Amino acid sequence: MSRMVGTVSRGIRAPIIREGDDLTEIVTQSVLEAARADGFTVRDRDVIAMTEAIVARAQGNYATVDQIAADVKAKLGGGTVGVIFPILSRNRFAVCLRGIAMGCKKVILQLSYPSDEVGNHLISLDVLDEKGVDPYRDMLTLEKYRALFGYEKHPFTGVDYVEYYENLIRETGAEVEVIFANDPRAVLSYTKDVLTCDIHTRQRSKRLLKAAGGNRVLGLDDILTESVNGSGYNPYGLLGSNKATEDKVKLFPRDAQPLVEAIQQKMLEETGKHVEVMVYGDGAFKDPMGQIWELADPVVSPAYTPGLEGTPNELKLKYLADNDFGHLSGAELRDAIAGAIREKDKDLKGQMASEGTTPRRLTDLIGSLCDLTSGSGDKGTPIVYIQGYFDNYTTE
């Protein structure tokens, strides 16, 4: 075992990306320049990842609130529309909500409680218990909610999202009524036309609403799936979009598979090495203090090269050390563990020696590493270069 360093994740600085930029050339040259400057060598099975934001920006994949409104009105009728289970986010949903409200006469805004889908809390579970409210069964009007809980502000942003969303809808000229319930069918007492805005539970919400008599039932993934009046579009619709300006959103990137394959080929031509390439968005992890689940995108990675398919197939070293080889130490222990790794089965599912390893998709794991490496602020590293991810204890 001559190599003493395992996985290394590097944030790579790049130019500010604009619409029409050649990402194949920019990403490749940014990595090669970083390698020269930092003294690392490109190796087979290294991973190049780029944030979804620069891909969508290069594509010019944007939509205005007017374009959102036009699609909502055409698909949901422009009358009273239930807008249910939105996440509480100025960046992720506020501009979308403005466009949605512009396409309606009245919005029935149904918020989940005590938190949204990704863990932004309106109120705490302790307060619910104190007030005797059952979030699984009780539907609250805005008046009842205010009487019970008052005007709570988000601990991180200082925003009362109930008031913020309510005012935002009114500013568009639409009427608004706010209710709180965790059963999507609660909104059907107010309207049969519903836009469900949840991300990872959207198919269940649609199914329940349609079975209970919903008329026009759509999700955010049904809005802007095609260009509307010159807008961008995406198979995921508005899911994964971010605020660009006060009246425009950047959509999730589309058709990114040719890009990752082109970068892989370009790197092979430049270095002779076969690297893997992916586009990443939010990582799939949860903040234990704020209780926020990071994944507000529909998927972690919308495009990746085939070598990133699958899940890890790893042995748990501490299990081997404590159980199979608990009687060994020093060089004997090292050699025994190395031998077990070399001889491990191609599929360890169900074996005790793999217990405690992470049974998640490679793209979700690597995307989470990338999201933490690049950050979401002013680091200026929208490209991440990872080495040694597929190494193990025996790799020289």
Side-chain angles (χ1 to χ4, degrees):
M1 186 179 63
S2 59
R3 187 188 298 180
M4 298 301 294
V5 176
T7 301
V8 176
S9 178
R10 292 180 175 90
I12 306 296
R13 291 181 177 175
I16 303 300
I17 304 302
R18 295 297 189 190
E19 182 176 352
D21 283 350
D22 183 349
L23 278 187
T24 300
E25 184 67 21
I26 290 172
V27 171
T28 300
Q29 294 308 317
S30 294
V31 168
L32 295 178
E33 289 173 18
R36 288 190 290 268
D38 209 43
F40 65 86
T41 302
V42 175
R43 300 196 297 255
D44 286 324
R45 296 222 76 190
D46 288 354
V47 179
I48 297 174
M50 71 209 89
T51 177
E52 57 83 21
I54 65 171
V55 180
R57 195 179 303 138
Q59 292 174 339
N61 206 20
Y62 293 87
T64 67
V65 291
D66 290 327
Q67 291 162 335
I68 294 171
D71 207 25
V72 168
K73 186 173 183 179
K75 291 175 176 175
L76 286 161
T80 300
V81 175
V83 176
I84 73 169
F85 298 161
I87 63 173
L88 307 175
S89 173
R90 293 169 295 176
N91 174 47
R92 286 289 192 170
F93 191 70
V95 180
C96 292
L97 180 58
R98 182 176 287 110
I100 292 164
M102 288 168 59
C104 308
K105 181 179 180 181
K106 181 177 182 179
V107 171
I108 307 298
L109 181 65
Q110 179 178 329
L111 300 176
S112 57
Y113 75 100
S115 70
D116 68 11
E117 181 184 2
V118 297
N120 291 297
H121 276 71
L122 290 170
I123 45 180
S124 71
L125 285 169
D126 291 333
V127 171
L128 283 184
D129 293 340
E130 178 187 327
K131 300 295 184 179
V133 175
D134 183 348
Y136 298 103
R137 304 178 66 175
D138 295 342
M139 193 277 284
L140 306 176
T141 63
L142 178 60
E143 293 72 24
K144 181 68 171 177
Y145 173 88
R146 291 301 191 194
L148 286 167
F149 308 118
Y151 289 77
E152 290 286 335
K153 293 185 178 181
H154 192 283
F156 292 165
T157 65
V159 174
D160 178 341
Y161 278 98
V162 179
E163 183 177 61
Y164 176 56
Y165 280 0
E166 186 182 14
N167 289 340
L168 189 153
I169 292 167
R170 285 203 177 97
E171 287 168 4
T172 70
E175 300 175 56
V176 59
E177 187 169 352
V178 183
I179 62 173
F180 302 81
N182 291 314
D183 186 334
R185 294 167 292 194
V187 77
L188 296 177
S189 298
Y190 298 82
T191 180
K192 304 300 183 184
D193 297 327
V194 184
L195 180 66
T196 182
C197 300
D198 43 346
I199 305 161
H200 306 289
T201 56
R202 62 188 185 275
Q203 298 304 338
R204 177 177 184 267
S205 296
K206 290 180 188 179
R207 173 172 55 80
L208 291 175
L209 287 163
K210 290 175 182 177
N215 180 22
R216 286 172 282 204
V217 176
L218 300 175
L220 286 181
D221 56 334
D222 298 306
I223 305 300
L224 292 185
T225 52
E226 297 178 343
S227 181
V228 174
N229 301 328
S231 74
Y233 62 94
N234 191 279
Y236 288 114
L238 285 175
L239 290 180
S241 61
N242 294 85
K243 176 180 178 179
T245 69
E246 293 300 327
D247 62 359
K248 183 187 291 186
V249 295
K250 176 193 65 61
L251 301 175
F252 209 47
R254 65 176 189 269
D255 304 326
Q257 191 62 33
L259 172 64
V260 297
E261 292 172 0
I263 293 172
Q264 183 181 60
Q265 180 60 35
K266 183 73 172 176
M267 286 294 294
L268 181 62
E269 294 168 1
E270 293 280 353
T271 68
K273 302 299 181 181
H274 184 92
V275 302
E276 304 297 343
V277 185
M278 65 181 283
V279 177
Y280 68 94
D282 276 348
F285 53 84
K286 186 171 184 177
D287 170 17
M289 292 297 293
Q291 300 298 305
I292 296 172
W293 185 37
E294 178 68 9
L295 188 55
D297 287 328
V299 291
V300 172
S301 177
Y304 52 89
T305 50
L308 298 177
E309 189 63 66
T311 59
N313 188 56
E314 300 174 341
L315 294 169
K316 193 75 169 179
L317 293 194
K318 67 180 181 181
Y319 179 89
L320 295 176
D322 291 341
N323 290 272
D324 295 28
F325 308 121
H327 59 292
L328 300 178
S329 62
E332 285 186 307
L333 176 58
R334 180 197 64 204
D335 293 343
I337 288 179
I341 292 172
R342 293 189 186 100
E343 296 168 9
K344 68 183 178 182
D345 294 339
K346 292 182 178 180
D347 186 357
L348 294 167
K349 185 184 295 184
Q351 296 188 30
M352 287 299 293
S354 68
E355 184 180 26
T357 58
T358 308
R360 292 166 57 192
R361 298 196 313 170
L362 288 169
T363 50
D364 294 342
L365 291 164
I366 297 170
S368 297
L369 173 60
C370 292
D371 193 21
L372 290 167
T373 300
S374 62
S376 59
D378 59 6
K379 287 185 172 62
T381 55
I383 304 164
V384 176
Y385 195 78
I386 300 170
Q387 294 190 293
Y389 193 85
F390 296 102
D391 290 356
N392 60 43
Y393 189 65
T394 69
T395 304
E396 296 294 337

